[in-house]
């Protein structure tokens, strides 16, 4: 990390990403964000740009997928493992057999992530079908009421 990089206190980070300091601390406690680094006694925890971006990604995935924090942690852990695999695959000195092992490992991480996303997509699809069915029922009832009103004599 460069010495020129902006460092923000937790309250500033919370405002920046639209959450609370308490939520940030909780995410750190759960391991969704990097833990608190060593700091001088009485000093404040300062966050780097990379840590702020990580928090934004955690919040985006949580909102987008509607997953539990444990599921989110699994998703992010798999993403970090894939990043480590990608980094090793980029090296020129990786033996072809090791390259095959790394690709198999990446496939396993991707399968875990896809399983979570597909489960959420299935749940959303189910909810969509239920809402559409209820909407159709309401429209049918409105149409029946309109037909009934047209048939009944006006007072």
């Amino acid at each position: 990390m460069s010495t020129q990089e902006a460092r923000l206190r937790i309250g500033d980070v919370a405002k920046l990403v639209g959450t609370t300091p308490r939520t940030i601390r909780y995410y750190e406690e759960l391991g969704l964000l990097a833990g608190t680094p060593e700091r001088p006694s009485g000093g404040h925890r300062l966050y780097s740009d990379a840590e702020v971006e990580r928090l934004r990604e955690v919040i985006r995935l949580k909102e987008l997928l509607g997953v539990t924090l444990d599921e989110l942690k699994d998703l992010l852990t798999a993403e970090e493992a894939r990043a480590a695999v990608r980094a090793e695959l980029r090296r020129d000195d990786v033996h072809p057999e090791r390259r095959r092992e790394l690709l198999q490992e990446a496939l396993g991480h991707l399968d875990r992530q896809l399983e979570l996303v597909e489960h959420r997509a299935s749940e959303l699809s189910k909810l969509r079908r239920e809402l559409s069915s209820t909407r159709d029922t309401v429209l049918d009832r409105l149409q029946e009421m309109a037909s009934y009103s047209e048939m009944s004599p006006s007072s």
Side-chain angles (χ1 to χ4, degrees):
M1 175 175 35
S2 77
T3 56
Q4 301 297 324
E5 182 177 15
R7 307 289 285 176
L8 300 170
R9 290 172 58 167
I10 194 167
D12 297 327
V13 172
K15 287 178 191 168
L16 193 62
V17 301
T19 193
T20 65
R22 184 177 181 181
T23 297
I24 294 171
R25 286 187 194 98
Y26 185 58
Y27 285 2
E28 287 174 347
E29 185 180 314
L30 293 175
L32 295 171
L33 302 173
T36 307
E38 292 298 317
R39 61 178 183 246
S41 180
H44 293 282
R45 162 83 154 96
L46 298 176
Y47 294 81
S48 68
D49 291 340
E51 290 167 321
V52 173
E53 284 309 307
R54 167 70 177 210
L55 177 59
R56 279 192 175 113
E57 183 66 3
V58 166
I59 292 169
R60 182 184 80 84
L61 288 172
K62 174 97 175 80
E63 290 174 354
L64 177 68
L65 297 173
V67 295
T68 67
L69 293 175
D70 284 339
E71 290 170 324
L72 184 57
K73 187 175 181 179
D74 288 346
L75 185 70
L76 292 170
T77 298
E79 184 60 34
E80 289 166 359
R82 285 183 45 230
V85 167
R86 280 192 306 272
E88 191 171 344
L89 282 169
R90 286 188 187 110
R91 293 187 8 221
D92 292 332
D93 63 341
V94 179
H95 187 274
E97 185 55 37
R98 175 65 182 145
R99 195 171 290 280
R100 185 180 342 278
E101 290 169 4
L102 288 167
L103 290 170
Q104 288 291 340
E105 183 180 333
L107 188 60
H109 298 308
L110 283 164
D111 287 344
R112 278 188 17 223
Q113 290 176 302
L114 279 170
E115 181 181 329
L116 177 65
V117 170
E118 287 171 356
H119 174 73
R120 285 293 159 213
S122 171
E123 291 296 313
L124 286 172
S125 180
K126 179 181 172 186
L127 177 60
R128 183 183 186 286
R129 286 191 304 274
E130 290 170 2
L131 291 171
S132 291
S133 175
T134 302
R135 183 178 188 277
D136 290 345
T137 300
V138 169
L139 286 172
D140 288 346
R141 288 186 180 156
L142 283 171
Q143 189 173 10
E144 288 171 8
M145 290 178 77
S147 296
Y148 179 76
S149 295
E150 290 172 4
M151 291 192 306
S152 65
S154 299
S155 314

